[in-house]
Amino acid sequence: MYILGISGYYHDSAACLLHDGEIIAAAQEERFTRIKHDLKFPINAVDYCLSEAGIVASQLDHVVFYDKPFLKFERILETYIAFAPKGFKSFSASLPVWLKDKLFQKTIITKELKSSLGDDVDWNKKLLFSEHHLSHAASAYFPSPFDNAAVLTMDGVGEWTTTSLAIGNRNKLEVHKEIHFPHSLGLLYSALTYYTGFKVNSGEYKIMGLAPYGEPKYVDTIKDNLIDIKEDGSFALDMSFFDYCTGLTMTNEKFDELFGAPPRKPESELTQREMDLAASIQKVTEEVVIKLAKGVAKETGEKNLCLAGGVALNCVANGILLRENIFDKIWIQPAAGDAGGALGAAFGAYHIMLDQPRAPSSGKDKMKGAYLGPSFSPDDIEKSLKDCGAVYSTYTESEIIERTAQALAEGKAVGWMNGRMEFGPRALGGRSIIADPRSPTMQKLLNLKVKYRESFRPFAPSVLREDVAEWFELDVDSPYMLFVADVDKSKRREMTDEEKNLFGIDKLNVPRSEIPSITHVDYSARVQTVHFDTNPRYHKLISRFKELTGCPVLVNTSFNVRGEPIICTAEDAFRCFMGTELDMLIVGETLLLKEDQNASLKENYETKYEFD
């Protein structure tokens, strides 16, 4: 049985294909169109999924959309009525869009399927709809390594739900509790994202990265005015401070008065105030997540927890949750945002709607390391590079590993395209930029001259699973870079009194450990454990780097520049290589050096993409 899951029309459109409950392929549309967070119908991702399976569209048994447009429209309509006459202008502007496009998405999706995949199939009969948070919950539980688990989903909003608690048991998944719009932890975090001058639905992770530079001075202000948090983690927002229900912005003038200034203008200078606001909303988010988890554990008695929804990408909160030992084990869907809804919709249809059995747990999850996207043959790679005008050499795998490890040990920054592309927002050694974490200047170099992004943003370490406990205060699998842990005390550098008295961004250039390029200002790191069984070549590379340097860790950041989707193809890799100050590019068995390339092929990547 083939089931295609799709998400789209809001942000991060994606497609996923299951065959008899096994994930065959999954990818986001942005990787093919090169439009960040592309929201259009994911036809390129669908085509890829069918191609990967080697099937034609008529072999699909069902197509499942990840939410229910009618319920979403009901929420929007009831919200505007509740707040009337306020917001009539934005309502009148959005209504024609809903009546023309969104409300009749079944018709639109059917037309897309017909025009893209052929009109010889009755797509109306094959098309199913899931609910948004049920899709999130299914994406968290069904691929997890657990036979039984509590499932917590947290995001901005689906149809009505913003937070949900479900319980998974074999092939059953039942929602037990929900918190409804407009009360939303995700939207509260997005409100502070907007207020501090970053873009909603993409800048939230910047707030998380900025938080350690600040002091949580505004926690009481937020808790006394914006959010009422109960002991079980349930919460309610005071909507008089927000404008997202009826307006075109997240916050309003009352919000400005509370914090004493209007929102920061995007791309203007960051001040200590923004850092303190970031630290404060991060602290409040952590409190809500911990209380929710404790409430879930007490109510359900479950020993395992699964997480999904955009808030589940807050790896700092996840790391604290892990250390609290509320649950024996925690598993987080690597594509926890809306892209993962495509996967959850497919799983939900297979197990819940069609009552298909779920195999007993083998102790490993079913995500295949999240390497679910396209890969390319050596011949395809060479043809693509020739067409780009690239100068390259071809080597065996062992030669590629040796030359790359040597280059890394010499301080070079390397573009690394290896095997299948990752599904989700993190690069995990399939489409990564990698470097030596021992360099005290590598973080600044990568941010300013390769990624073209804000200097404060941290980089993650890829570490061999067998060595993680020696280098970090963590000894569990973290293959999807979703837990933050502190660098082990034995690897840290003691700061001088003068350094300890620095504030804000002044802390940035102070080395804090033997691996300063991945050590954040609070000694933390967003850890990815690398496993031989899911990514053998990346594991071999780090192992060889360890033999050369004694360090089983690499800097790992996504292979793209600011505002660009992560690369997918060899052409994408070469363009990004030529548009940045990367020194070396590895694409499969091919190796490219910057000095060998035709300088006329260089692009100005610093201004090529819109700011994220």
Side-chain angles (χ1 to χ4, degrees):
M1 180 184 294
Y2 287 101
I3 297 180
L4 178 71
I6 53 176
S7 63
Y9 302 120
Y10 181 48
H11 59 88
D12 296 316
S13 296
C16 170
L17 184 66
L18 300 186
H19 180 230
D20 294 338
E22 178 188 358
I23 308 171
I24 302 300
Q28 288 173 238
E29 185 69 2
E30 66 166 20
R31 307 295 172 85
F32 304 96
T33 64
R34 314 307 300 153
I35 300 170
K36 189 82 167 176
H37 303 301
D38 198 341
L39 53 73
K40 295 188 293 295
F41 183 83
I43 185 54
N44 294 284
V46 169
D47 284 344
Y48 155 66
C49 288
L50 297 179
S51 175
E52 186 69 33
I55 65 171
V56 295
S58 60
Q59 291 175 263
L60 292 172
D61 293 277
H62 297 284
V63 178
V64 197
F65 192 66
Y66 80 128
D67 72 8
K68 294 188 174 180
F70 274 105
L71 284 178
K72 188 173 285 187
F73 181 70
E74 175 189 80
R75 183 253 299 170
I76 290 170
L77 186 60
E78 288 191 20
T79 299
Y80 277 118
I81 290 171
F83 283 84
K86 183 182 177 184
F88 178 76
K89 185 176 180 180
S90 63
F91 175 62
S92 61
S94 66
L95 188 60
V97 178
W98 269 94
L99 293 178
K100 180 177 179 291
D101 296 324
K102 297 185 179 182
L103 190 56
F104 302 104
Q105 269 180 0
K106 182 171 185 178
T107 302
I108 292 168
I109 294 170
T110 300
K111 285 182 178 179
E112 290 277 10
L113 292 168
K114 282 183 178 180
S115 65
S116 306
L117 303 179
D119 58 6
D120 56 338
V121 176
D122 189 346
W123 295 110
N124 266 310
K125 287 185 177 179
K126 295 195 176 189
L127 185 58
L128 304 172
F129 289 82
S130 177
E131 288 192 37
H132 187 97
H133 270 260
L134 184 62
S135 296
H136 277 319
S139 78
Y141 171 62
F142 289 122
S144 79
F146 310 135
D147 290 327
N148 302 278
V151 185
L152 184 60
T153 68
M154 303 166 287
D155 69 359
V157 61
E159 294 88 1
W160 278 102
T161 307
T162 66
T163 306
S164 77
L165 163 62
I167 296 178
N169 180 14
R170 294 297 176 92
N171 74 333
K172 306 296 182 187
L173 181 64
E174 295 182 356
V175 176
H176 285 245
K177 274 188 173 181
E178 295 179 336
I179 297 173
H180 286 172
F181 183 86
H183 308 291
S184 167
L185 182 61
L187 289 175
L188 174 63
Y189 205 94
S190 291
L192 269 295
T193 300
Y194 163 79
Y195 186 70
T196 50
F198 299 109
K199 188 179 290 187
V200 172
N201 288 330
S202 71
E204 284 78 4
Y205 56 90
K206 297 184 188 180
I207 296 296
M208 185 176 65
L210 190 63
Y213 294 96
E215 299 293 329
K217 296 178 179 179
Y218 299 99
V219 167
D220 288 342
T221 302
I222 292 171
K223 291 170 63 176
D224 290 345
N225 296 277
L226 302 183
I227 183 170
D228 178 23
I229 308 169
K230 304 301 182 185
E231 273 309 301
D232 66 353
S234 60
F235 56 86
L237 303 186
D238 183 341
M239 295 311 301
S240 66
F241 290 93
F242 303 94
D243 213 19
Y244 60 75
C245 282
T246 57
L248 301 175
T249 59
M250 294 299 296
T251 60
N252 58 26
E253 290 181 0
K254 187 176 179 181
F255 193 101
D256 299 349
E257 291 171 8
L258 179 65
F259 293 103
R264 168 182 167 260
K265 292 182 179 179
E267 304 306 316
S268 62
E269 182 182 358
L270 279 168
T271 69
Q272 189 63 44
R273 182 169 171 275
E274 282 80 44
M275 299 172 205
D276 294 342
L277 284 165
S280 302
I281 188 56
Q282 179 62 33
K283 189 69 67 177
V284 170
T285 299
E286 292 161 9
E287 179 181 339
V288 174
V289 170
I290 297 303
K291 285 185 173 179
L292 278 169
K294 287 180 176 177
V296 167
K298 182 178 180 181
E299 182 167 334
T300 66
E302 295 289 344
K303 302 300 183 184
N304 303 313
L305 177 67
C306 300
L307 295 174
V311 177
L313 292 172
N314 192 308
C315 50
V316 177
N318 296 341
I320 294 171
L321 179 58
L322 186 69
R323 292 191 290 276
E324 287 284 323
N325 292 315
I326 301 165
F327 290 88
D328 291 350
K329 294 181 179 179
I330 299 172
W331 190 83
I332 305 166
Q333 167 53 238
D338 277 8
L343 183 146
F347 267 119
Y350 186 74
H351 291 300
I352 302 172
M353 299 180 196
L354 302 173
D355 197 28
Q356 293 297 307
R358 181 173 181 256
S361 171
S362 64
K364 294 183 178 180
D365 70 51
K366 300 173 181 65
M367 290 296 295
K368 302 179 181 180
Y371 306 111
L372 300 169
S375 64
F376 302 91
S377 71
D379 287 345
D380 288 339
I381 289 170
E382 289 196 48
K383 181 181 185 306
S384 296
L385 293 176
K386 284 178 183 175
D387 290 345
C388 290
V391 177
Y392 63 89
S393 300
T394 303
Y395 298 98
T396 65
E397 181 186 84
S398 60
E399 289 172 329
I400 286 287
I401 288 168
E402 181 63 31
R403 289 172 180 269
T404 306
Q406 292 282 356
L408 291 166
E410 293 166 7
K412 291 183 167 60
V414 178
W416 175 260
M417 177 176 160
N418 161 50
R420 295 184 73 175
M421 182 178 69
E422 304 90 338
F423 182 52
R426 310 290 186 222
L428 303 170
R431 303 290 187 274
S432 293
I433 292 171
I434 51 178
D436 186 347
R438 301 170 303 155
S439 167
T441 59
M442 188 59 71
Q443 184 204 9
K444 188 172 185 179
L445 171 71
L446 289 177
N447 267 330
L448 299 182
K449 295 194 173 185
V450 176
K451 301 286 282 188
Y452 301 125
R453 67 184 196 181
E454 301 94 340
S455 61
F456 69 83
R457 288 165 64 175
F459 291 106
S462 291
V463 57
L464 298 177
R465 172 63 180 94
E466 51 267 35
D467 291 320
V468 66
E470 182 183 344
W471 288 78
F472 302 95
E473 293 182 354
L474 182 76
D475 196 12
V476 299
D477 293 351
S478 181
Y480 305 122
M481 210 183 281
L482 288 170
F483 292 113
V484 161
D486 288 343
V487 173
D488 191 80
K489 289 183 174 62
S490 66
K491 309 298 182 186
R492 296 184 197 175
R493 171 189 169 272
E494 186 66 30
M495 294 172 65
T496 66
D497 290 339
E498 183 180 358
E499 289 168 342
K500 289 177 182 176
N501 290 325
L502 295 172
F503 287 93
I505 294 295
D506 291 336
K507 300 176 182 179
L508 178 64
N509 296 320
V510 178
R512 281 171 160 66
S513 75
E514 294 178 26
I515 41 177
S517 288
I518 58 83
T519 305
H520 210 10
V521 293
D522 57 355
Y523 290 103
S524 70
R526 190 179 69 205
V527 179
Q528 178 204 1
T529 55
V530 178
H531 304 248
F532 186 82
D533 61 335
T534 54
N535 197 335
R537 181 177 290 191
Y538 195 41
H539 190 279
K540 289 176 186 176
L541 174 65
I542 301 174
S543 297
R544 180 58 183 142
F545 182 77
K546 178 186 177 183
E547 290 172 358
L548 293 172
T549 65
C551 178
V553 183
L554 288 179
V555 177
N556 175 15
T557 185
S558 55
F559 197 159
N560 60 345
V561 299
R562 182 185 179 188
E564 178 192 19
I566 297 174
I567 65 137
C568 176
T569 66
E571 294 97 326
D572 300 334
F574 182 72
R575 283 195 296 266
C576 192
F577 175 60
M578 293 303 293
T580 62
E581 295 190 34
L582 286 171
D583 301 298
M584 178 187 286
L585 172 62
I586 304 296
V587 185
E589 276 71 45
T590 62
L591 184 153
L592 298 80
L593 297 174
K594 182 61 66 64
E595 60 263 30
D596 294 341
Q597 308 307 314
N598 183 342
S600 68
L601 297 176
K602 184 174 175 59
E603 293 189 50
N604 182 3
Y605 254 50
E606 190 168 3
T607 57
K608 184 177 177 68
Y609 292 94
E610 290 184 14
F611 288 150
D612 58 358

